[in-house]
Amino acid sequence: MVEIENLIKKLREIVPLNVIERFLSGIQKAIEKKGDLSLAYHEVSKLDFNYYGIDLPYSRPSQFWKEYRGECIELPKPPEKSGVDVFEAIKARRSRREYTTKSLTLEQVSAILYYTIGVTGRAWWGGPKRAYPSAGGLQPVEAYLYADRVEGLERGLYHYHPGRHCLEVVKLGDYSRELMRASLDQEHVGEAPVVLVLTAVYSRTASKYGLRSYRYIHWDSGFAGQNVYLVVEALGLATVTVGAFYDDEVCRVIEIDCLEELPMLIFPIGYRK
Ligand SMILES: Cc1cc2nc3c(=O)[nH]c(=O)nc-3n(C[C@H](O)[C@H](O)[C@H](O)COP(=O)(O)O)c2cc1C
């Protein structure tokens, strides 16, 4: 059992009193709304004329993506055109939960990753511009690809390196069942030839936006998520967003620290049935 008095004492050592007061007033509002505690965060992360959030002790990120040591498997160059009009793709996009057993190709994987979070240009100061817009240009979203059946790729879990457009091996092996279990046993996750997991590295955004960052990382991820739907549509494949998952289980399977990097969205991807 957490000792509330002790907790508040510790909190006061690192968080300014006015922020704690806002949070407590948020809890009070949450009580009025029958205990919906998410409102307390909403209150404390609201901006107004007198309040711009607080600077958390995060330093500016030195890079915009994670890097694993070791081999990075080169992906084919992504296609320049899909032949599908963007208006048509937006209209035709649907959440599709049934896939054939057919394997995906490396070309398809390359297109999905590149048009979801790939580096599509350069900023005036030389830094990367990405396929998804990002609050403050801080680019917190990371992509992990579980390849169950991809031609030319050993079954296993990979991390996408956007700077080099290649796949870093996290671990080889069959993780279909574990990902399905982590997604509340949703069968489409267990059956798909590919499962894409989007996460967000919290400190990248928090280095600038403090308390408001928990909002921003979800907005950023949502934009990347819509990219997944549209590129999958343009390739004639099928996907669905999965937001119902056990966070700690997802973190365990993809081997990330859930306090540093937060699982955002999961996308099983395959051929349409
Ligand atoms: C944030 C979010 C989380 C979702 N989570 C799930 C999920 O866990 N499982 C699922 O089958 N569908 C999930 N969906 C898909 C929705 O059910 C689907 O988008 C909705 O029914 C509308 O259908 P459409 O995408 O075909 O327009 C999610 C969608 C969003 C945007």
Side-chain angles (χ1 to χ4, degrees), residues 5 33 36 39 43 47 66 70 76 96 103 113 115 129 144 155 212 227 240-241 252 260 268 270:
E5 266 176 38
K33 285 279 175 197
D36 185 349
L39 277 179
E43 282 299 309
L47 302 185
K66 280 171 72 177
R96 303 177 208 272
S103 304
L113 291 167
Y115 290 108
K129 285 282 187 186
Y144 297 81
R155 178 175 278 139
R212 209 167 161 76
N227 285 349
V240 57
T241 310
R252 187 188 62 75
E260 300 278 339

XYZ file of all heavy atoms in Angstrom, residues 5 33 36 39 43 47 66 70 76 96 103 113 115 129 144 155 212 227 240-241 252 260 268 270:
204
model
N 0.941 10.340 2.293
C 1.657 11.509 2.837
C 3.115 11.514 2.425
O 3.670 12.530 1.987
C 1.585 11.492 4.362
C 0.427 12.326 4.874
C 0.298 12.218 6.378
O 1.331 12.174 7.066
O -0.860 12.164 6.837
N -16.839 13.820 -11.545
C -17.216 13.046 -12.745
C -17.155 11.552 -12.450
O -16.661 10.761 -13.267
C -16.277 13.389 -13.904
C -16.551 14.725 -14.531
C -17.698 14.638 -15.518
C -18.040 16.011 -16.047
N -19.365 16.034 -16.673
N -13.454 9.493 -12.766
C -12.656 9.310 -13.977
C -11.309 10.026 -13.833
O -11.154 11.206 -14.144
C -13.419 9.844 -15.195
C -12.681 9.555 -16.483
O -11.503 9.149 -16.408
O -13.258 9.735 -17.562
N -9.155 12.512 -16.104
C -9.422 13.952 -16.106
C -8.390 14.721 -15.278
O -8.114 15.883 -15.560
C -10.810 14.226 -15.534
C -11.982 14.076 -16.500
C -13.282 14.360 -15.769
C -11.826 15.006 -17.695
N -6.447 17.927 -16.625
C -6.401 19.228 -15.938
C -4.971 19.726 -15.764
O -4.659 20.871 -16.063
C -7.060 19.116 -14.550
C -8.570 19.125 -14.578
C -9.137 20.404 -15.177
O -8.728 21.489 -14.746
O -9.984 20.301 -16.088
N -3.020 23.983 -20.826
C -2.321 25.271 -20.821
C -3.344 26.377 -20.600
O -4.495 26.250 -21.016
C -1.622 25.516 -22.164
C -0.604 24.481 -22.623
C 0.082 24.956 -23.907
C 0.445 24.218 -21.554
N 16.186 5.205 -32.088
C 17.040 4.309 -31.320
C 17.992 3.601 -32.273
O 17.698 3.469 -33.461
C 16.178 3.250 -30.639
C 15.507 3.737 -29.389
C 14.520 2.725 -28.897
C 15.148 1.492 -28.295
N 14.114 0.559 -27.759
N 24.973 -3.894 -33.828
C 24.952 -5.114 -34.635
C 24.468 -4.860 -36.041
O 24.314 -3.717 -36.470
N 14.848 -3.002 -49.365
C 14.840 -2.455 -50.728
C 14.353 -1.010 -50.720
O 13.642 -0.599 -49.789
C 13.845 -3.344 -51.475
C 13.322 -4.334 -50.511
C 13.937 -4.115 -49.172
N -9.473 -4.079 -41.257
C -9.719 -5.432 -41.780
C -8.987 -6.422 -40.878
O -7.787 -6.284 -40.651
C -9.226 -5.536 -43.224
C -9.870 -4.490 -44.156
C -9.304 -4.592 -45.566
N -9.350 -3.322 -46.266
C -10.378 -2.874 -46.987
N -11.462 -3.604 -47.092
N -10.318 -1.698 -47.591
N 2.783 -15.000 -47.346
C 3.870 -14.161 -46.821
C 3.884 -12.797 -47.495
O 3.529 -12.665 -48.664
C 5.227 -14.814 -47.093
O 5.261 -16.098 -46.564
N 7.079 0.575 -43.776
C 7.894 1.265 -42.766
C 8.266 2.671 -43.222
O 8.176 3.630 -42.451
C 9.150 0.443 -42.453
C 8.867 -0.863 -41.712
C 10.095 -1.768 -41.711
C 8.418 -0.586 -40.270
N 6.789 4.692 -45.479
C 5.681 5.650 -45.565
C 4.927 5.815 -44.236
O 4.009 6.613 -44.138
C 4.750 5.287 -46.725
C 5.430 5.554 -48.063
C 5.864 4.516 -48.878
C 5.700 6.863 -48.456
C 6.536 4.769 -50.073
C 6.372 7.126 -49.649
C 6.784 6.084 -50.446
O 7.455 6.354 -51.617
N 13.310 15.149 -41.617
C 11.854 15.333 -41.687
C 11.266 13.946 -41.924
O 11.862 13.119 -42.612
C 11.477 16.259 -42.845
C 11.766 17.724 -42.554
C 10.706 18.301 -41.662
C 10.858 19.795 -41.498
N 9.900 20.332 -40.517
N 8.609 -1.303 -34.480
C 9.122 -2.668 -34.352
C 8.314 -3.554 -35.275
O 7.077 -3.419 -35.333
C 8.987 -3.178 -32.913
C 9.814 -2.355 -31.958
C 9.332 -1.134 -31.472
C 11.092 -2.750 -31.590
C 10.103 -0.348 -30.630
C 11.866 -1.968 -30.750
C 11.366 -0.774 -30.283
O 12.143 0.001 -29.460
N 12.219 -15.418 -39.431
C 11.140 -15.113 -38.477
C 11.723 -14.487 -37.214
O 12.675 -15.012 -36.629
C 10.425 -16.415 -38.139
C 9.312 -16.271 -37.136
C 8.560 -17.567 -36.936
N 7.565 -17.778 -37.973
C 7.317 -18.942 -38.569
N 7.995 -19.998 -38.241
N 6.386 -19.028 -39.489
N 2.804 18.149 -20.787
C 1.855 18.042 -21.896
C 2.223 16.914 -22.873
O 1.444 16.546 -23.749
C 1.804 19.388 -22.631
C 0.483 19.664 -23.293
C 0.411 21.110 -23.721
N -0.600 21.326 -24.726
C -1.894 21.369 -24.491
N -2.347 21.212 -23.262
N -2.749 21.569 -25.470
N -0.988 6.819 -41.422
C -0.084 6.464 -42.531
C -0.106 4.950 -42.776
O -0.084 4.507 -43.920
C 1.352 6.901 -42.229
C 1.549 8.399 -42.374
O 0.686 9.100 -42.880
N 2.701 8.887 -41.941
N -5.600 -3.543 -39.127
C -6.510 -2.930 -38.154
C -5.645 -2.359 -37.029
O -4.612 -2.928 -36.686
C -7.536 -3.951 -37.606
C -6.849 -5.158 -36.977
C -8.463 -3.324 -36.556
N -6.064 -1.224 -36.496
C -5.373 -0.691 -35.313
C -5.742 -1.525 -34.109
O -6.930 -1.778 -33.902
C -5.876 0.730 -34.964
O -5.851 1.520 -36.109
C -5.060 1.361 -33.858
N 7.473 -6.261 -22.554
C 8.305 -7.450 -22.299
C 8.630 -8.161 -23.615
O 9.787 -8.487 -23.891
C 7.570 -8.405 -21.340
C 8.405 -9.580 -20.867
C 7.579 -10.592 -20.097
N 6.503 -11.199 -20.878
C 6.669 -12.130 -21.822
N 7.877 -12.566 -22.110
N 5.639 -12.625 -22.490
N 10.366 4.284 -20.185
C 11.134 5.132 -21.106
C 10.414 5.261 -22.444
O 10.430 6.302 -23.081
C 12.509 4.491 -21.399
C 13.388 4.271 -20.201
C 14.116 5.535 -19.817
O 14.239 6.420 -20.662
O 14.532 5.629 -18.643
N -1.624 -5.588 -36.947
C -1.398 -6.819 -37.712
C -1.598 -6.490 -39.183
O -2.501 -5.712 -39.522
C -2.502 -7.759 -37.195
C -3.533 -6.886 -36.580
C -2.882 -5.586 -36.206
N -1.593 -8.107 -43.321
C -1.490 -9.273 -44.203
C -2.274 -9.053 -45.476
O -2.817 -7.962 -45.713
